[in-house]
Amino acid sequence: MFCYQCEQAAQGTGCTKMGVCGKTPEVAALQNLIVWGLMGMSFWAHKAREKGAIDAEIDLHLIEALFTTVTNVDFDPESCAAVAEKTVEMRDRAWTLFEKANGGPYTGDVPDAAAAWACPDSREEMVKLGREKDVRRFNSDADINSVQNILLYGCKGMAAYADHAHILGKDDREIYAFMHKALAAIAESKLGLMDFVNLCMECGQTNIKTMGLLNQAHIENYQKPQPTPVSIGAKAGKAILVSGHDLKMLEELLKQTESKGINVYTHVEMLPAHGYPGLKKYSHLVGNFGGAWQSQYEEFQKFPGAIIFNTNCLQRPADTYKDRLFTWGRVKWPGVKHIDGWDFSEVIAAAQKAEGFTEKPDKEILTGCGHDAVLGLADKVIAAVKSGAIKRFFVIGGCDGAKPGRNYYTQFAEKLPKDTVILTLACGKYRFNKLDLGDIGGIPRLLDVGQCNDAYSAVQIALALAEAFDCEVNDLPLSIVLSWYEQKAVVVLLALLSLGIKNMKLGPSLPGFVTPNVLNFLVENFNIGPIGSVEDDMKQMLG
């Protein structure tokens, strides 16, 4: 196998024997095959779109299948094989769609991924074929191949956000059109380096639209998030823990557990759910349990109830809780019960059977500080900046992970001067969101903007501040320090770069799929750089 799409890639270059995430070589090969098939499907879907022909089922399969290949989502070879088989069927469907719209066969060159190759009958043969579709072989030019991988991983991250929005009834044909165009370009591999760089910038712009669409879906269904204190203790009673990003799944579970004596807790990226009026109205949504996703193996053994994942961040489960662990949506693990649809009765039964919590009071942490909430304090914030009470804003966020070096983010937050404000998002905030950092004139120094897709909110806050101070975003007293782990972080970074934001720090290590020449391009054009020592980086940012 070979996989280097996440920050924990072995030796920083790629996993070749077993995925650090727990992905087996079999699953890695099947996911390669899925991507290969999607490239072929997108070639025909893009050509059909140019003729005015669109198939919503093809668009939906695109985002669901791409999401399947995101890190820490689907570890089940049976499931991945089924997705690969369906992808080939959808490729043929897209091919037929094009020929019907074209009034006849295509007369140009057809890339290998879009040709009439058949999905092998056995899983063994599927794996063998998938092993040949190494992501390092898209292009013989290493730098072009690097940018093609950045584009692919950006599309994977965007597909996750688009899938969440689709579940809430929101779709945008332009988003799907771009992803088909991007994957078709990778399949053909005819464009030059700067053409693919421009596609990466377009990917970032399209992701801003996608995150905005998801933000709109969340607000229309659950209203604007409000600053909300959330208990990290426990209430006495039976319990269910929900991990992931999908708010609709949480809502349905809350409806089905109402008046059943079961308390519902959020885990990691579900924490911001507490800020939405449409969700926090459920009195049995009682708190947040645990730290970041990489601590689940130890922490879940201490959770005395049922646990359900609705998106990525799943790890190999321990036998001590595997029988009360469930998955939903795209996330799957062999031998773990998967819930199809919206009936959570099995999860509820597992929670009722489990021991449950005794009362364990603890402190509260603040969430729900999205752009609407922060901009509601705009006059107060602007006055604090003008008076010198707030000297600088720091966006410190992104994905957490187990690799050494991530204590940098804890130390950075701890050592920042008391006249600075931190905006944070995604699970990277678990490195410091339990610290008591105080406030500045009633403005909390730590503002939890939300999930990783709520980078949209951070962008809106930055744009509003730039407008208020009549300057460019890069001229604001604002520094961005990011941690990355998987493909959603890649597409968030592309979104920031597409806005022309410069001087960002990225860590704890740089992606293995970025060649030295591509890194130099990012440094020269955006002054992006790796994190160093806390003291040196802070001195540089504070001027």
Side-chain angles (χ1 to χ4, degrees), residues 312-331:
N312 61 316
C313 299
L314 178 63
Q315 283 185 313
R316 180 187 298 277
D319 291 338
T320 52
Y321 62 82
K322 192 173 182 180
D323 63 338
R324 49 190 174 85
L325 178 67
F326 300 83
T327 59
W328 180 89
R330 307 314 303 171
V331 61

Side-chain angles (χ1 to χ4, degrees), residues 12 71 105 198 344 398 448 462:
T71 302
N198 290 334
F344 298 107
D448 179 3

